[in-house]
Structures are given as structure tokens and as C-alpha cells.
Amino acid sequence: MAWSVAESCPSEVRSITVLAAPHPAVLRQSLRFDPDQRRRSAYMVAAQLPWLAPWWLRRGDHRVMRAWLSATLDPDDMAVYADGWRRPGQVAAMLNWYRALLWFPPPPADRGAATRPVHLITGTNDPLFGDAVLEASVARLAGSSHDRLDGVGHSPHRTAVDEVAIRLAHLTDGS
């Protein structure tokens, strides 16, 4: 959503920071032409299967999702996530996000308007997104930047809270 706002509604925002998510149009393109990103995003393709995906993700007390996130979440955070996954409708809501990401393109940018730069914060150990898709996302909007946190996985806001807070503070105070 934030990438789309930066492109289509620049007068509505002063700045945008995105944590661990490439631009959706760049991601869709990468899924077509980048074998590494296709491998990393296989779960998005699996999410398209109407009855199989929910069953597969719920079985074994969400064993598959636990395995995906085990490298990026500590046990306490994993317990919080698992509690959320057990709520009625939660797995369907997560799947619907990935379904929409692949089937519904973001709104077109107002080509007459200036876009806002986006500051992307990711971890160097993110298993879900490769360097190519992240760099192409930043290159899409002039003035955008990419801040990579060493040793951090897919959830910098959970596993590197202080580092993310420091970077956000620097963005808002202009330093």
C-alpha cells in the first residue's frame, strides 16, 4: 500500500518508510523473470490454491509457517504469531493478501504528479526477498533509499527494534 501511495497520492504524505516489502509491480515482474525471487516467493504461488493452501498452512499447528519464520523470530514472538494464526479467519486473511498481491495490480501512478521517495528498511538475511527485487523497487522512485540491517531477517521491526527506531528517528528529524 505504501508504495502505491508514494506514487499515486504524493500530496497526501510527507515521507514513506517501508519495512521488508518490495514494490508490488517490481515483485510481480521479478516473479516472471528472476528464478531466485520465484524460489523465494513460492509460498505466494501456493497461496493461490483455494482449499489446499489453508489446509496446508494450518496443519501441524502451522508447522510450515513456523519453519518459514523460525530464522527471523525469537520463541516469544513466534508464540504471539502462532496465537494469531489460530484465530478464526486469520489464515484466510493472510492468504487473501497474497492472492490480491498477485492478481490485482496497484493503482496507476498519476504520471503528472511528483512521486515521494520511499525509504526501504530490510535485513541482510531476509529469506523472502532477494537483493535484485529490493534494489529495483528503490530504483523505481527517484530519491528513494535502501537501508539494510546486518544479520536481520524478514521482520526488522520485531528483531531489530532499536535499530529500526533509530533509523526512523533520523528520517523524521532530517539527519
Side-chain angles (χ1 to χ4, degrees), residues 3-167:
W3 288 103
S4 294
V5 170
E7 286 183 318
S8 60
C9 306
S11 63
E12 303 297 321
V13 295
R14 192 174 90 202
S15 67
I16 294 176
T17 301
V18 174
L19 298 173
H23 189 287
V26 173
L27 178 59
R28 263 195 293 286
Q29 185 79 356
S30 293
L31 291 174
R32 292 180 62 205
F33 299 108
D34 181 350
D36 176 58
Q37 191 55 53
R38 220 177 2 258
R39 180 187 54 77
R40 291 171 182 260
S41 298
Y43 67 98
M44 290 183 194
V45 176
Q48 307 306 308
L49 304 171
W51 64 270
L52 184 60
W55 170 81
W56 181 59
L57 293 177
R58 285 189 193 104
R59 73 187 178 118
D61 194 29
H62 308 94
R63 180 176 59 232
V64 171
M65 291 190 289
R66 288 174 186 274
W68 285 336
L69 294 174
S70 65
T72 62
L73 294 176
D74 66 34
D76 291 338
D77 286 337
M78 183 66 78
V80 171
Y81 273 64
D83 286 343
W85 297 331
R86 291 184 196 105
R87 292 184 186 144
Q90 183 62 39
V91 170
M94 291 184 320
L95 289 170
N96 287 339
W97 174 257
Y98 292 112
R99 289 171 179 154
L101 181 66
L102 295 182
W103 287 101
F104 297 99
D110 177 356
R111 298 298 173 205
T115 58
R116 291 281 184 226
V118 171
H119 185 76
L120 176 62
I121 300 175
T122 64
T124 57
N125 294 346
D126 188 337
L128 301 182
F129 301 114
D131 292 339
V133 71
L134 297 171
E135 292 306 319
S137 295
V138 172
R140 183 176 169 104
L141 299 177
S144 293
S145 59
H146 185 189
D147 197 355
R148 304 211 54 208
L149 306 179
D150 285 332
V152 175
H154 182 63
S155 304
H157 59 291
R158 304 280 303 182
T159 57
V161 176
D162 292 339
E163 289 180 65
V164 170
I166 289 167
R167 281 157 175 79

